[in-house]
Amino acid sequence: MALLIFDSGFGGLSIQQAMKQRYPELLIHQFADHAHLPYGTKSPSFISHRLTTVVPQLIQKLEIDTVVVACNTASTHALSELRQRVRQPVIGVVPAIKPAAQLTHCNHIVVLATTATVNSTYTQQLIDDHASSIKVTLVAADGLVSFAEEKIVLGHIDTTQLSKYVAELIAGISEFDTMVLACTHFPLLKEELSAFLPNHIRLIDSGDAVARRLSDVAPSQSSRVAPATFISSAPLSLTTHDAIKRFGFDQVELL
Ligand code: DGL
């Protein structure tokens, strides 16, 4: 079977890594909508239009059996539209508010996400359904998307700048012990964030839960012989091609 991971950029790589860890033989193709990155500051109708236009094209081109919308922003805005459009199973990636609410000891969680995810009614519904008895602070952290993109392209980031940005974001927020990385780009910065944040703050993302979900939705994960392809909607430099191949992709293409 062939899996398609969809994101606005390199964020999908955090989900690809979680999938590879659980299903090392699975054929995974990935799409990054770099021509339209970031999604986090776009309108819901734009995001929905991109998702429902591009995914069906990729399903046909790559003979996809299952789709993972590895983007909290796209999932919280357009999952149901996409499910109506394609016959393949579609797995969404949404903010891990439920597990975070179960883990917090001080009953206060911070959710870092894009502006669009912070403002979505889907996110509010997750809070109402799973975290109504605790305090949830939503923080728009769109700047982290650029740090994560930079890390993939250059192999490193300016950690002083990153910690300054995050310190400003969380300044003045009362005591919390759990932080939800509610954008697939953010787990790519987990190492740097953990080094900077106080030790007692637990970072939660959706990667492993999404990987586990695949076995419910598509029980057979046997591999198929075809090159694992990474497709971007914008041209990428040759150094970036090399960086992507180190994640296990055989080829990089332009859509
Ligand atoms: N990776 C995407 C997410 O999970 C968003 C990044 C962007 O703003 O495009 O929300």
Side-chain angles (χ1 to χ4, degrees), residues 147 158-171 196:
F147 279 106
D158 183 336
T159 47
T160 314
Q161 286 294 107
L162 175 77
S163 25
K164 191 166 164 258
Y165 176 72
V166 177
E168 279 166 19
L169 284 182
I170 61 174
F196 149 74

Side-chain angles (χ1 to χ4, degrees), residues 238-252:
L238 285 181
T239 350
T240 309
H241 281 216
D242 291 342
I244 292 166
K245 286 182 180 162
R246 283 196 285 276
F247 281 83
F249 291 96
D250 302 304
Q251 55 193 36
V252 182

Side-chain angles (χ1 to χ4, degrees), residues 147-227:
F147 279 106
E149 288 286 316
E150 199 175 305
K151 184 174 172 184
I152 299 300
V153 174
L154 303 178
H156 58 88
I157 49 163
D158 183 336
T159 47
T160 314
Q161 286 294 107
L162 175 77
S163 25
K164 191 166 164 258
Y165 176 72
V166 177
E168 279 166 19
L169 284 182
I170 61 174
I173 296 179
S174 62
E175 196 200 332
F176 64 96
D177 59 3
T178 309
M179 181 181 260
V180 181
L181 303 180
C183 165
T184 52
H185 278 77
F186 303 171
L188 298 172
L189 303 168
K190 209 168 180 175
E191 218 176 286
E192 292 82 356
L193 291 172
S194 320
F196 149 74
L197 290 164
N199 282 341
H200 72 279
I201 296 181
R202 216 183 319 216
L203 300 178
I204 308 288
D205 65 71
S206 310
D208 191 51
V210 172
R212 272 186 276 120
R213 180 92 187 99
L214 181 66
S215 38
D216 300 334
V217 169
S220 149
Q221 277 95 40
S222 60
S223 59
R224 202 173 56 182
V225 188

Side-chain angles (χ1 to χ4, degrees), residues 33-218:
D33 201 2
H34 278 121
H36 301 285
L37 178 82
Y39 277 10
T41 48
K42 303 273 189 312
S43 69
S45 57
F46 179 86
I47 297 164
S48 175
H49 174 73
R50 282 303 286 168
L51 194 67
T52 52
T53 311
V54 177
V55 171
Q57 282 174 28
L58 293 167
I59 286 178
Q60 205 174 14
K61 178 180 162 63
L62 299 164
E63 297 178 29
I64 296 298
D65 303 292
T66 306
V67 178
V68 177
V69 180
C71 175
N72 291 258
T73 309
S75 293
T76 54
H77 286 89
L79 263 190
S80 48
E81 284 92 328
L82 181 62
R83 285 185 175 133
Q84 281 162 24
R85 200 62 72 88
V86 302
R87 63 171 177 77
Q88 286 75 2
V90 176
I91 301 172
V93 176
V94 300
I97 288 171
K98 184 180 177 184
Q102 288 162 351
L103 283 169
T104 177
H105 292 299
C106 70
N107 291 335
H108 183 195
I109 67 171
V110 165
V111 180
L112 295 189
T114 64
T115 299
T117 301
V118 163
N119 293 334
S120 80
T121 48
Y122 193 109
T123 302
Q124 193 49 54
Q125 192 62 51
L126 283 176
I127 296 171
D128 295 346
D129 290 347
H130 306 293
S132 57
S133 59
I134 64 157
K135 185 172 170 188
V136 180
T137 303
L138 295 172
V139 179
D142 300 280
L144 289 181
V145 174
S146 321
F147 279 106
E149 288 286 316
E150 199 175 305
K151 184 174 172 184
I152 299 300
V153 174
L154 303 178
H156 58 88
I157 49 163
D158 183 336
T159 47
T160 314
Q161 286 294 107
L162 175 77
S163 25
K164 191 166 164 258
Y165 176 72
V166 177
E168 279 166 19
L169 284 182
I170 61 174
I173 296 179
S174 62
E175 196 200 332
F176 64 96
D177 59 3
T178 309
M179 181 181 260
V180 181
L181 303 180
C183 165
T184 52
H185 278 77
F186 303 171
L188 298 172
L189 303 168
K190 209 168 180 175
E191 218 176 286
E192 292 82 356
L193 291 172
S194 320
F196 149 74
L197 290 164
N199 282 341
H200 72 279
I201 296 181
R202 216 183 319 216
L203 300 178
I204 308 288
D205 65 71
S206 310
D208 191 51
V210 172
R212 272 186 276 120
R213 180 92 187 99
L214 181 66
S215 38
D216 300 334
V217 169

